[in-house]
Amino acid sequence: MAVIVFVVATGYRISDSRYLVFGNPSGWENQDRGSDPSVADDAWNFYGRTPAGDRYSPLDQITPSNVSQLKQAWSFSTGDLPRPGENKGGHEFSFEATPIKVGDAIYFCTPHREVVALDATTGELKWRYDPAGDMSHNVYQACRGVSYFEAPAGAPCPHRIISTASDLPRLFEVDADTGKLCESFGDHGMVDLREHMGIVPAGFHFISSPPMVINGRAILGGWVYDNQAVGEPSGVIRAFDATTGALSWSWDMGRTPANAPLGKDDIYTRGTPNGWGVYSADPKLNLVFVPLGNATPDYYGAERRPFDDAYSSSLVALDITTGQERWHFQTVHHDLWDFDVPVGPSLVDLPGTNGEATVPALVQTTKQGEIYLLDRRDGKPISPVEERPVPRGDIPNERYSKTQPFSVGMPALRAPKFQEADTWGATPIDQLVCRIQYRQMRDDGLYTRRA
Amino acid sequence: MNIRTPFFVLLTSIVTVLIGLALAGLGTWLVLLGGSPYYLLAGLGLLVCGVLLGLRRYVGAWVYTAVLVATAVWAVWEVGLDGWSLIPASLRRLCSASGSGRLGSPAASDPPVAAGLGSGQLSDFRWP
């Protein structure tokens, strides 16, 4: 008995730390460039606080040693709950918003796209705006956040909150102080994002992430209802004048050049990889960094066109003013695993070599656990990226990339290969059944081929 | 099977045989798939144990003890001293052990499993 107690107790201590693995440090150090002066120290203006995606506050009153003593100051309930059928049968209802804080107010959106403004100190409701509309055809009700825009001096609606509705893809701006639509933006505050999109079946396309609002532009791409058809609504990236709502440019990889203006009846190339995640931007280099998904259907790529294959699961750097591509970097070739890039990079400044002051770089995380360190001026890897052979499958008509890019100089966020002994069950019989299932499966590693 | 077998012993015997059958049957499948032979062996051990108990042969409890010790050794060998991973193996030992604690046989002849392992075992384990 003593032995068993010892085993369990020791096991408890060890399992406490079993998932803490300290990888090899990359050897790179971020130069401390101080906090971004365009965002006040006590503000969180963007999804990642700054356009660089820092996700870090310079405030220092809360520390690891006193965080345990924090007490709740206030709470607020939006009252936005799932409606019948919205959270079952494969439908999702999720509160995904990362609030932003500008001045003394907190702004965020609810799954049904209401925009809420709270007093940051008291948690009291300042206002809420409901774009309304019928969202019952969406399989997914979510909103990752809203964006903030300060209009040029003299423009009406000086402080604005930018967000989107999901009954139809609609972009809107409301006055951050009053919660009323900014009448001078688009059509009485609204821009219909279906323009030039061709047929958009109900529930097939809306915007789930906050637009990147930078250098006077509101830049966005959307969510599409994956795996329903080929030729779904386009993955085009569009930029609107954040003051007027006029289209500034569009980047449609199926056109040459991709940022060419469209004729009156043209539609954006259908079924292209879409940039559904949150973007990052470098206002100095005037670049927006767009993480792209893959061309749906996600797990079958025989129908993909050359531009789909060129950009699927890539990070693309576009000029904020013109939409012209500066560079792109592909993280998975001919992605058949839905490893689409889910979020924009975090920007870092590395110590320069050869007398250079600093090297503007970015760190891109991916679903496959690879972390890429790139020069953000040209997209060239700073930490070596190696093309390594991967298994290839034999589905008729499908193409397979012979190699995939591995970021060999950076730590990878990947668990060790799964073993039979890793199976678990509440009882030995559960575990035994799990082991049988494990033995019936095939695991070729990260790029396991589909049978 | 002896009709004078006390009810709890009979129940323990039947349950042990059933678990033994399940482990040995599925365990054979696992071995055929190239997996661990532990479940097959443990299942056979439990089968023997269950039949012996049903015949009021208390040596069956010693067979159980042997399976228990072998399981502990095997579990630590396979996954090391890792609390989460040891749960499936430990849980079987503990559950069945509290069952054999009810054998009601004279304490002096008790195998360690029946004497030592009470139902307090489960509460000793803290979920990480």
Side-chain angles (χ1 to χ4, degrees):
Chain A
M1 172 170 171
V3 170
I4 290 168
V5 170
F6 171 77
V7 163
V8 171
T10 319
Y12 169 69
R13 271 201 59 77
I14 294 173
S15 65
D16 228 15
S17 57
R18 65 185 302 203
Y19 291 117
L20 282 180
V21 178
F22 294 95
N24 302 323
S26 63
W28 300 100
E29 270 184 48
N30 193 7
Q31 286 289 91
D32 186 11
R33 55 188 161 167
S35 58
D36 182 339
S38 71
V39 178
D41 278 3
D42 66 351
W44 195 282
N45 281 21
F46 293 79
Y47 183 86
R49 184 173 173 269
T50 60
D54 288 340
R55 296 171 173 81
Y56 170 82
S57 168
L59 300 181
D60 55 11
Q61 285 180 347
I62 300 173
T63 64
S65 58
N66 68 17
V67 68
S68 61
Q69 299 151 26
L70 292 185
K71 292 203 173 63
Q72 177 179 306
W74 52 260
S75 72
F76 175 85
S77 172
T78 66
D80 187 11
L81 298 171
R83 295 167 193 167
E86 282 185 344
N87 54 359
K88 56 185 176 195
H91 290 220
E92 286 177 47
F93 175 95
S94 28
F95 183 92
E96 294 186 3
T98 294
I100 57 171
K101 176 178 178 283
V102 184
D104 208 18
I106 282 176
Y107 305 94
F108 62 93
C109 49
T110 72
H112 286 113
R113 300 313 183 106
E114 275 184 80
V115 179
V116 176
L118 303 179
D119 183 297
T121 309
T122 64
E124 269 167 57
L125 180 71
K126 286 166 81 93
W127 53 259
R128 61 196 297 163
Y129 169 75
D130 184 2
D134 176 15
M135 285 160 267
S136 60
H137 40 67
N138 293 344
V139 291
Y140 171 61
Q141 314 289 354
C143 184
R144 294 197 184 89
V146 300
S147 308
Y148 176 75
F149 176 59
E150 236 160 70
C157 231
H159 311 112
R160 307 181 183 191
I161 294 298
I162 308 184
S163 191
T164 54
S166 66
D167 56 331
L168 305 169
R170 293 185 286 156
L171 174 69
F172 62 83
E173 289 192 354
V174 293
D175 189 314
D177 303 316
T178 65
K180 301 272 186 292
L181 278 174
C182 292
E183 288 287 326
S184 60
F185 179 81
D187 179 14
H188 301 285
M190 290 278 176
V191 170
D192 188 339
L193 295 173
R194 289 175 302 174
E195 202 182 352
H196 294 299
M197 289 296 277
I199 298 165
V200 181
F204 266 63
H205 171 63
F206 58 83
I207 318 296
S208 48
S209 293
M212 170 51 74
V213 178
I214 192 83
N215 289 2
R217 301 268 193 261
I219 306 166
L220 54 81
W223 174 94
V224 293
Y225 190 5
D226 281 342
N227 300 320
Q228 305 304 306
V230 292
E232 290 200 24
S234 179
V236 62
I237 310 300
R238 283 177 283 182
F240 296 86
D241 184 311
T243 311
T244 66
L247 181 72
S248 304
W249 50 260
S250 54
W251 184 81
D252 172 7
M253 66 180 74
R255 310 177 79 80
T256 316
N259 61 341
L262 269 67
K264 189 171 172 299
D265 298 322
D266 291 354
I267 62 166
Y268 297 118
T269 312
R270 297 187 76 82
T272 50
N274 56 325
W276 54 271
V278 179
Y279 307 164
S280 317
D282 182 338
K284 276 198 204 123
L285 289 176
N286 202 37
L287 288 179
V288 60
F289 303 99
V290 179
L292 287 177
N294 59 353
T296 199
D298 295 328
Y299 310 111
Y300 181 64
E303 315 254 359
R304 291 187 196 155
R305 301 150 293 187
F307 45 83
D308 296 327
D309 272 341
Y311 289 101
S312 266
S313 298
S314 288
L315 179 66
V316 184
L318 303 176
D319 186 287
I320 292 170
T321 312
T322 64
Q324 193 173 4
E325 178 186 327
R326 195 79 63 86
W327 55 261
H328 72 274
F329 176 87
Q330 190 164 52
T331 68
V332 184
H333 308 313
H334 198 68
D335 185 350
L336 300 171
W337 302 267
D338 204 11
F339 283 147
D340 55 355
V341 186
V343 71
S346 288
L347 311 187
V348 294
D349 289 326
L350 300 178
T353 47
N354 308 330
E356 234 180 334
T358 54
V359 179
L362 62 81
V363 180
Q364 179 66 56
T365 52
T366 60
K367 287 189 192 173
Q368 64 270 31
E370 293 293 310
I371 301 174
Y372 298 94
L373 180 64
L374 310 177
D375 187 319
R376 65 179 184 263
R377 295 167 296 192
D378 55 16
K380 297 252 164 36
I382 292 174
S383 179
V385 173
E386 234 176 68
E387 290 290 335
R388 289 185 172 171
V390 292
R392 301 165 73 190
D394 53 5
I395 292 173
N397 301 324
E398 184 60 277
R399 306 182 291 278
Y400 296 90
S401 177
K402 286 180 192 163
T403 63
Q404 295 291 356
F406 287 82
S407 184
V408 295
M410 295 284 282
L413 300 172
R414 256 203 305 282
K417 194 173 165 79
F418 194 86
Q419 308 287 339
E420 185 191 315
D422 295 326
T423 53
W424 198 84
T427 69
I429 293 177
D430 290 335
Q431 191 189 30
L432 174 51
V433 170
C434 188
R435 283 176 190 248
I436 288 171
Q437 289 173 346
Y438 166 79
R439 286 286 170 188
Q440 288 172 324
M441 291 182 198
R442 173 170 51 75
D443 176 10
D444 312 327
L446 180 57
Y447 292 101
T448 293
R449 60 202 203 277
R450 239 160 259 287
Chain B
M1 204 162 279
N2 194 324
I3 51 161
R4 286 174 302 150
T5 305
F7 175 70
F8 280 119
V9 176
L10 187 61
L11 189 67
T12 305
S13 156
I14 290 170
V15 169
T16 308
V17 166
L18 289 178
I19 294 175
L21 278 175
L23 287 179
L26 292 168
T28 305
W29 190 4
L30 182 61
V31 169
L32 292 176
L33 288 169
S36 165
Y38 159 76
Y39 295 89
L40 172 58
L41 298 176
L44 292 176
L46 288 188
L47 269 179
V48 170
C49 159
V51 169
L52 289 174
L53 287 180
L55 297 172
R56 294 187 71 189
R57 300 275 301 276
Y58 287 106
V59 67
W62 284 103
V63 173
Y64 187 87
T65 305
V67 172
L68 168 70
V69 170
T71 296
V73 171
W74 163 78
V76 173
W77 168 78
E78 193 186 42
V79 297
L81 296 173
D82 182 288
W84 272 113
S85 301
L86 286 175
I87 289 176
S90 332
L91 208 63
R92 190 187 61 71
R93 296 202 298 272
L94 303 179
C95 293
S96 311
S98 53
S100 20
R102 294 184 190 156
L103 272 173
S105 52
S109 66
D110 263 4
V113 53
L117 291 174
S119 51
Q121 283 297 309
L122 270 179
S123 57
D124 279 352
F125 185 81
R126 284 208 200 107
W127 294 78

